[in-house]
Amino acid sequence: MKLVWSPETASKAYIDTVKSCGLFKQSGQAEFISAMAGGRNAKLIVEAWSSGGAVTTSAGLVIAAQHTSGRHVCVVPDERSKLEYNEAMHAVAGVSSPEVVVGEAEDAMEGLVDVDFVVVDCRRKDWSRVLRFVKLNQRDAVLVCKNASQRAINSGFRWHGALGSATPVVRSAFLPVGKGLDIAYVGNSGGIMDHRKGSSRWIKHIDQQSGEEHVFRR
């Protein structure tokens, strides 16, 4: 199914994430990602969570999935990480824990097909393998690398290389939100960012950590 931007759903996901995570540190990034997933009407959201990391993004994705009637699956490497993740999620008021899959990247992604929204924490040692094995909806999908500025400078990361030649990358962008968001859009529709030919809009986002205002075109 083609992802079509819904401003109303994006706004609802954003506002509800603010309500649930607004008092948590680094919540600005969670609100932004939640609005993206909600606005794209994502039906299968896969998140690769890193042990020791915040769960505000997870909370935002749970909220987005509720608004899109979608499914949010969090992938963790081991049972210890699962326990840590569930305990952290229980501390977020009003947000239930999503489905959790335990295993290495290749095994964890095996049963997840036609994924249309992916969030990978680059602090995971296997973050690049998660991207390699994720089974995307080839018509339209969005991939987000959070904490992207913490990737090794000499890693030489390129979306085309990470996803393979069979996955067409329509557009990518790096945004200075949180510790860096690297976003890619894939699909065979000629550009999922421009689902209305000739149309575009400016989106404003305020980073709650730094107070900086970022304006970009979608």
Side-chain angles (χ1 to χ4, degrees):
M1 180 178 64
K2 181 177 174 60
L3 299 179
V4 178
W5 181 259
S6 170
E8 181 180 359
T9 308
S11 297
K12 289 179 179 179
Y14 185 95
I15 292 170
D16 287 348
T17 303
V18 170
K19 292 178 181 178
S20 296
C21 305
L23 298 179
F24 284 73
K25 189 177 180 180
Q26 298 181 343
S27 63
Q29 181 175 256
E31 295 150 5
F32 179 80
I33 294 175
S34 176
M36 283 186 62
R40 301 305 300 184
N41 195 32
K43 296 303 181 183
L44 179 52
I45 301 169
V46 172
E47 175 190 12
W49 183 75
S50 175
S51 178
V55 294
T56 48
T57 296
S58 283
L61 291 174
V62 169
I63 291 169
Q66 290 172 346
H67 283 294
T68 65
S69 298
R71 177 187 177 197
H72 172 209
V73 179
C74 184
V75 176
V76 297
D78 50 47
E79 291 293 338
R80 180 178 179 180
S81 296
K82 179 180 179 180
L83 178 62
E84 178 187 347
Y85 175 79
N86 284 332
E87 288 179 347
M89 283 296 293
H90 289 158
V92 184
V95 178
S96 59
S97 295
E99 178 183 347
V100 180
V101 175
V102 179
E104 298 296 328
E106 184 173 6
D107 295 331
M109 296 296 174
E110 181 63 30
L112 303 174
V113 182
D114 285 338
V115 180
D116 50 28
F117 200 91
V118 183
V119 179
V120 176
D121 191 336
C122 288
R123 293 184 305 174
R124 283 182 60 131
K125 294 181 180 179
D126 64 344
W127 64 268
S128 61
R129 289 178 57 82
V130 173
L131 294 176
R132 187 183 312 161
F133 291 113
V134 65
K135 298 179 180 179
L136 297 173
N137 178 339
Q138 293 295 306
R139 293 184 298 278
D140 285 304
V142 178
L143 299 97
V144 180
C145 284
K146 58 181 285 189
N147 295 315
S149 60
Q150 295 184 314
R151 292 185 304 219
I153 296 177
N154 61 353
S155 65
F157 176 79
R158 295 291 185 275
W159 280 109
H160 288 283
L163 301 176
S165 58
T167 303
V169 178
V170 176
R171 186 174 300 181
S172 63
F174 186 94
L175 303 180
V177 178
K179 294 184 179 179
L181 294 179
D182 201 350
I183 306 170
Y185 305 83
V186 305
N188 293 317
S189 60
I192 65 175
M193 286 286 285
D194 303 314
H195 60 277
R196 295 178 181 176
K197 187 175 181 181
S199 69
S200 64
R201 69 180 64 187
W202 291 94
I203 296 177
K204 179 173 72 174
H205 175 265
I206 299 177
D207 191 317
Q208 293 189 3
Q209 286 183 273
S210 64
E212 295 179 345
E213 180 178 298
H214 308 295
V215 181
F216 58 98
R217 176 172 285 176
R218 64 165 293 276

